[in-house]
């Protein structure tokens, strides 16, 4: 993988989307219609869009610091993205790996890069997103984690088996004595993809427990855990691990990427209001920025978590790296044949 290839790809897929609903376009057309003519309108639209793109990339760079995989360099009236060169085994390089992997998943989901549905590169995305989510969830609570999402690497094919393994790990909670009345054969993960927790050394109840769902589709807001946990997950417990639930959603996208204020709205105010709405509906949102922020520290716990979970996370991370290299070999080509 070369720096120029990656930067060329990012120029296509790491910019805010410009489309027919762009408020900058509508506002400028109304403002300038009779003043400067069509050419002036288009120039203003391009200038406003360029400023918006620059401000967004500057926001990402400031939020992540050295964990952002690109340097935003300004030369006169122009700006450029320059790739930071870091081995992915280092903390910053690990964060870069996660950011770019999430970025490429976003590119495919938004069809900036077209890949056949049955192509192996596309079919691998849910598992890669799950790996990143599991690792950063453990880092967020600074504790342990159980990979509940189907298919599970511990080969527990039945949901009840997975729940028993989880209970034995967290050491609190009690399952019901028999399966629920509905057919347990249809239950794979009870809508919960991961559970991360932090315990006290006394081993008693009273733990921080984070339940997470991992979504790599654009319809992630339609899958809140608080709508599915009671009927599909909680019913398997006589006593749950905790009386309170900390819910979360892990996505490869930017949480605010579809924030489009109307003329009378301020972008930052609308973005904040939408984030508050998302938090009430789905809990903590771990988007591409937050996943990357936690990734550098998660890198330091790979061996520890591999030991506690029995999952070879070193191998999984190497798989993310290989997937990214293979995909970047075809970006920015429009079509990858199956």
């Amino acid at each position: 993988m070369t720096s120029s290839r990656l930067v060329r790809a990012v120029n296509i897929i790491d910019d805010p989307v410009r489309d027919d609903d762009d408020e900058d376009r509508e506002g400028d057309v109304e403002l300038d219609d009779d003043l400067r003519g069509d050419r002036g309108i288009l120039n203003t639209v391009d200038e406003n869009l360029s400023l918006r793109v620059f401000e967004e990339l500057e926001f990402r760079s400031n939020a992540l610091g050295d964990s952002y995989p690109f340097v935003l360099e300004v030369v006169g009236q122009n700006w450029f993205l320059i790739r930071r060169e870091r081995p992915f085994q280092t903390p910053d390089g690990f964060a870069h790996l996660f950011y770019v992997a999430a970025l490429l998943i976003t590119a495919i989901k938004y069809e900036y890069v077209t890949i056949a549905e049955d192509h192996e590169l596309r079919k691998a995305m849910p598992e890669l997103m799950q790996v990143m989510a599991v690792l950063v969830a453990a880092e967020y609570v600074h504790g342990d984690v159980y990979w509940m999402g189907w298919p599970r690497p511990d080969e527990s094919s039945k949901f009840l088996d997975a729940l028993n393994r989880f209970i034995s790990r967290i050491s609190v909670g009690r399952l019901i004595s028999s399966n629920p009345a509905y057919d347990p054969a249809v239950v794979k993960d009870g809508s919960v993809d991961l559970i991360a927790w932090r315990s006290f050394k006394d081993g008693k109840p009273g733990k921080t427990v984070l339940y997470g769902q991992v979504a790599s589709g654009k319809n992630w807001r339609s899958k809140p855990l608080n709508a599915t946990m009671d009927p599909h997950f909680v019913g398997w417990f006589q006593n749950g691990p905790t009386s309170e639930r900390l819910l979360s959603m892990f996505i490869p996208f930017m949480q605010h990427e579809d924030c489009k204020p109307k003329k009378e709205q301020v972008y930052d105010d609308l973005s904040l209001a939408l984030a508050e709405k998302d938090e009430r509906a789905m809990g903590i949102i771990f988007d591409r920025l937050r996943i990357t922020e936690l990734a550098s520290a998660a890198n330091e716990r790979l061996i520890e978590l591999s030991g506690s979970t029995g999952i070879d996370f070193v191998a999984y991370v190497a798989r993310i790296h290989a997937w990214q290299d293979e995909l970047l070999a075809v970006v920015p080509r429009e079509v990858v044949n199956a």
Side-chain angles (χ1 to χ4, degrees), residues 223-234:
K223 301 179 178 181
L225 261 183
N226 60 9
T228 56
M229 274 195 69
D230 279 333
H232 298 294
F233 187 84
V234 176

Side-chain angles (χ1 to χ4, degrees), residues 201-217:
K201 293 181 179 179
D202 60 18
K204 295 179 181 179
K207 304 172 186 279
T208 298
V209 182
L210 176 78
Y211 300 88
Q213 188 165 59
V214 183
S216 56

Side-chain angles (χ1 to χ4, degrees), residues 31 33 126 209 226 271:
L31 178 65
D33 195 7
V209 182
N226 60 9
S271 177

Side-chain angles (χ1 to χ4, degrees), residues 5-180:
R5 178 181 292 142
L6 181 53
V7 171
R8 192 165 61 247
V10 171
N11 285 336
I12 294 176
I13 61 183
D14 201 25
D15 292 347
V17 180
R18 171 176 175 173
D19 57 31
D20 293 336
D21 296 325
D22 196 312
E23 286 297 327
D24 284 344
R25 174 183 293 276
E26 295 174 1
D28 287 327
V29 169
E30 293 176 358
L31 178 65
D32 296 327
D33 195 7
D34 294 325
L35 298 179
R36 293 189 293 174
D38 291 342
R39 184 175 299 277
I41 294 170
L42 292 176
N43 286 342
T44 303
V45 170
D46 289 340
E47 290 170 5
N48 288 346
L49 180 63
S50 179
L51 178 60
R52 266 204 314 153
V53 171
F54 176 81
E55 289 176 345
E56 173 63 21
L57 295 178
E58 186 177 45
F59 165 74
R60 299 177 190 184
S61 178
N62 290 340
L64 293 177
D66 288 343
S67 292
Y68 188 56
F70 309 98
V71 176
L72 188 58
E73 184 170 301
V74 180
V75 180
Q77 298 295 318
N78 301 314
W79 51 266
F80 307 90
L81 283 177
I82 302 173
R83 190 187 173 201
R84 299 181 195 268
E85 296 286 357
R86 302 286 191 279
F88 78 91
Q89 297 89 347
T90 64
D92 285 341
F94 197 80
H96 299 172
L97 177 71
F98 276 31
Y99 185 96
V100 174
L103 175 64
L104 291 171
I105 292 172
T106 300
I108 293 170
K109 289 296 182 178
Y110 278 92
E111 299 182 350
Y112 303 151
V113 178
T114 304
I115 296 181
E117 292 287 342
D118 59 349
H119 195 286
E120 292 301 319
L121 287 171
R122 192 180 190 112
K123 290 193 292 185
M125 294 192 305
E127 181 181 66
L128 302 183
M129 189 64 207
Q130 174 80 12
V131 171
M132 293 189 287
V134 166
L135 288 172
V136 300
E139 177 55 33
Y140 180 72
V141 301
H142 203 69
D144 212 341
V145 66
Y146 184 76
W147 178 323
M148 183 65 74
W150 179 267
R152 288 176 283 273
D154 64 10
E155 299 180 353
S156 54
S157 59
K158 295 182 179 180
F159 185 45
L160 186 58
D161 291 341
L163 289 174
N164 273 308
R165 294 187 186 213
F166 162 62
I167 288 295
S168 69
R169 293 266 310 282
I170 196 172
S171 301
V172 290
R174 186 163 59 252
L175 297 171
I176 57 177
S177 57
S178 59
N179 293 342

